[in-house]
């Protein structure tokens, strides 16, 4: 019997791509997105690609692009070279045994393994995971230009193009009164033409959240995301019980342990699931299973990854029976250019899963060279 293919080499490349406009979040203003692109070369000539991306350096989480590259080069790579490339569970068990935390880096590595295995078998990553329930996923757009009027114009343009019909507003940078007025002005301007959700990114204390959410509920906002600091699970549960408008756990929910605790106390009636937060595609589906068992709604989230991370997320999310709150996998559209040749089709408020084996994506090596951090 032929020897099973092994991992020969792992390359982690830091790529900086400009955004189409500044993106204002409570913890950072992004003018570019930095991604760690992973190239995993196997002994049978197959290459898998993955992406490890966070937001705003160290302002969103405990991994930065620079720490991810360093840890992949120093710890992941020596551990994985020589391991059987097609046994993803075995490789990831070895990773988990030897490397604590580092979930975003783990997600990129697992994505590259799944891409390679899909290409090897001639099937998509979604097929490897059991099959896509749907080939398309609803995708919202985030309004975060930092200016209310500009956001209203941007939303109007996207509505008339038919590209998105749901908008997430990022707040938490300004005093609460300013942010509340901003949300109400946008909701009033868009009226029944669009659904509006609000992400506070942990910026409010519980009392401020109570006042603010009451106003959002009255204005017709559809969903409130992570108003409180990540650690305040009980506060999230209290807000969920108090309001009719659904409250979504984002930063509070990383892995299955968080999911289990939050589900037990009902910290959120919706969970924002992300492959990067959970440490990969298999883990995100475990988090989703906990939500499903607890009858908690699901929302396919992003860490504003580029095409590789967004499409990897899409392959996992499209295997879910129910994704009641759609997704926010718009990351590639926020960037001025791409290091992937394949154009993902975004139209009619949905994204299409690219066809083809693995992730269905082809790296553009010239662009990778152009945008690679020197
Ligand atoms: C987050 O906290 O949800 C998602 C969209 C966006 O603009 O930022 C992200 C992160
Ligand atoms: Mg969020």
């Amino acid at each position: 019997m032929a020897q099973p293919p092994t991992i020969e080499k792992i390359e982690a490349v830091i790529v900086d791509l400009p955004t189409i406009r500044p993106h204002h979040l409570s913890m950072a203003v992004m003018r570019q997105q930095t991604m760690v692109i992973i190239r995993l070369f196997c002994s049978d000539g197959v290459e898998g690609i993955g992406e490890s991306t966070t937001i705003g350096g160290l302002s969103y989480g405990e991994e930065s692009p620079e720490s991810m590259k360093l840890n992949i080069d120093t710890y992941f790579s020596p551990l994985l070279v020589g391991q059987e490339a097609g046994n993803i569970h075995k490789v990831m068990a070895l990773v988990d045994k030897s490397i604590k935390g580092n979930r975003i880096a783990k997600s990129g590595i697992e994505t590259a393994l799944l891409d390679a295995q899909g290409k090897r078998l001639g099937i998509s990553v979604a097929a490897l995971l059991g099959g896509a329930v749907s080939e398309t996923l609803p995708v919202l757009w985030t309004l975060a230009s930092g200016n209310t009027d500009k956001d209203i114009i941007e939303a109007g343009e996207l509505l008339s193009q038919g590209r998105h019909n749901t908008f997430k507003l990022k707040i938490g940078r300004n005093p609460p009164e300013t942010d509340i007025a901003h949300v109400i002005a946008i909701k009033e301007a868009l009226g029944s033409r669009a659904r509006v959700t609000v992400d506070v990114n942990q910026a409010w204390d519980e009392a401020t959240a109570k006042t603010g959410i009451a106003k959002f509920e009255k204005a017709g906002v559809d969903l409130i995301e992570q108003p409180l600091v990540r650690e305040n699970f009980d506060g999230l549960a209290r807000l969920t019980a108090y309001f009719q408008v659904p409250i979504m756990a984002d930063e509070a929910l990383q892995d299955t342990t968080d999911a289990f605790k939050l589900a037990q106390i009902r910290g959120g009636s919706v969970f924002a699931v992300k492959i990067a937060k959970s440490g990969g595609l298999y883990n995100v589906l475990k988090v989703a299973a906990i939500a499903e068992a607890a009858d908690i709604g699901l929302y396919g989230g992003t860490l504003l990854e580029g095409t590789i991370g967004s499409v990897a997320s899409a392959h996992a999310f499209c295997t879910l029976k129910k994704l009641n709150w759609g997704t926010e996998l718009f990351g590639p559209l926020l960037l001025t250019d791409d290091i992937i040749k394949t154009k993902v089709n975004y139209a009619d408020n949905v994204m299409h899963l690219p066809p083809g084996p693995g992730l269905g994506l082809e790296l553009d090596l010239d662009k990778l060279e152009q945008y690679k951090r020197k």
Side-chain angles (χ1 to χ4, degrees):
M1 215 174 77
Q3 286 297 310
T6 54
I7 301 168
E8 273 192 341
K9 191 170 72 155
I10 298 175
E11 257 178 46
V13 183
I14 297 186
V15 166
D16 295 301
L17 274 171
T19 54
I20 54 170
R21 56 148 172 75
H23 198 63
H24 292 244
L25 315 176
S26 81
M27 74 310 264
V29 178
M30 297 167 61
R31 292 187 168 76
Q32 63 167 36
Q33 179 55 306
T34 302
M35 308 175 258
V36 179
I37 304 302
I38 295 163
R39 301 181 68 191
L40 183 136
F41 300 92
C42 305
S43 59
D44 55 355
V46 175
E47 176 187 345
I49 54 174
E51 178 182 340
S52 292
T53 293
T54 184
I55 294 173
L58 275 175
S59 61
Y60 195 92
E62 290 168 358
E63 293 171 270
S64 70
E66 296 76 14
S67 78
M68 287 190 266
K69 175 170 166 52
L70 184 78
N71 290 338
I72 291 168
D73 291 348
T74 315
Y75 297 100
F76 287 77
S77 186
L79 183 71
L80 298 188
V81 167
Q83 295 298 319
E84 202 183 311
N87 192 335
I88 296 156
H89 287 323
K90 198 169 167 192
V91 173
M92 293 313 290
L94 179 68
V95 166
D96 281 337
K97 194 169 157 219
S98 314
I99 299 172
K100 299 282 170 265
N102 287 275
R103 284 191 292 260
I104 308 179
K106 286 177 182 172
S107 175
I109 293 285
E110 194 200 65
T111 299
L113 288 163
L114 283 162
D115 182 45
Q117 183 68 353
K119 286 172 177 162
R120 188 172 290 126
L121 300 177
I123 60 172
S124 72
V125 169
L128 259 183
L129 299 173
V133 175
S134 164
E135 300 290 325
T136 61
L137 291 169
V139 179
L140 62 66
W141 177 253
T142 293
L143 299 170
S145 72
N147 177 284
T148 310
D149 294 333
K150 278 192 192 161
D151 281 358
I152 293 170
I153 295 169
E154 194 172 294
E157 284 168 3
L158 293 168
L159 275 170
S160 51
Q161 288 165 21
R163 208 181 74 186
H164 306 277
N165 60 8
T166 303
F167 299 97
K168 159 158 145 173
L169 313 188
K170 301 294 274 192
I171 61 166
R173 259 195 109 58
N174 301 307
E177 318 79 71
T178 315
D179 275 342
I180 292 166
H182 166 81
V183 170
I184 293 174
I186 295 178
K187 180 62 204 163
E188 275 174 4
L190 300 179
S192 58
R193 290 185 296 152
R195 288 160 73 87
V196 167
T197 73
V198 171
D199 190 355
V200 195
N201 279 121
Q202 314 185 65
W204 285 352
D205 59 35
E206 216 171 314
T208 310
K210 260 194 160 174
T211 319
I213 297 169
K215 292 182 179 157
F216 293 158
E217 200 170 58
K218 203 158 155 238
V221 170
D222 277 295
L223 181 67
I224 312 294
E225 180 172 345
Q226 197 64 50
L228 310 176
V229 284
R230 153 175 165 72
E231 293 77 13
N232 192 357
F233 279 28
D234 291 333
L236 209 57
R238 282 188 287 272
L239 295 177
T240 305
Y242 187 81
F243 288 106
Q244 201 160 0
V245 61
I247 307 290
M248 179 157 77
D250 184 10
E251 287 91 325
L253 170 76
Q254 311 276 326
D255 54 13
T256 45
T257 311
D258 295 326
F260 191 64
K261 281 189 199 149
L262 286 167
Q264 277 177 314
I265 63 165
R266 276 214 113 60
S269 45
V270 184
F271 281 180
V273 296
K274 306 185 181 180
I275 60 170
K277 289 194 302 178
S278 302
L281 286 76
Y282 284 112
N283 282 344
V284 90
L285 295 177
K286 288 182 196 165
V287 169
I290 293 171
E292 204 180 293
D295 202 14
I296 285 170
L298 282 171
Y299 173 84
T302 178
L303 276 192
L304 296 177
E305 291 100 336
T307 301
I308 303 173
S310 302
V311 166
S313 304
H315 277 279
F317 298 160
C318 74
T319 67
L320 294 168
K321 270 188 286 212
K322 225 159 118 192
L323 197 61
N324 347 37
W325 290 88
T327 81
E328 55 177 16
L329 298 177
F330 65 85
L333 300 169
L334 191 64
L335 305 174
T336 53
D337 205 351
D338 209 334
I339 48 116
I340 290 295
K341 282 187 185 162
T342 329
K343 274 261 155 293
V344 178
N345 182 7
Y346 286 93
D348 300 325
N349 315 310
V350 299
M351 83 185 269
H352 294 255
L353 213 57
L359 295 170
L361 301 176
E362 194 189 340
L363 255 187
D364 186 329
L365 293 176
D366 295 335
K367 289 280 176 70
L368 189 67
E369 190 52 38
Q370 182 184 340
Y371 291 107
K372 176 179 166 176
R373 194 177 287 179
K374 304 290 181 319

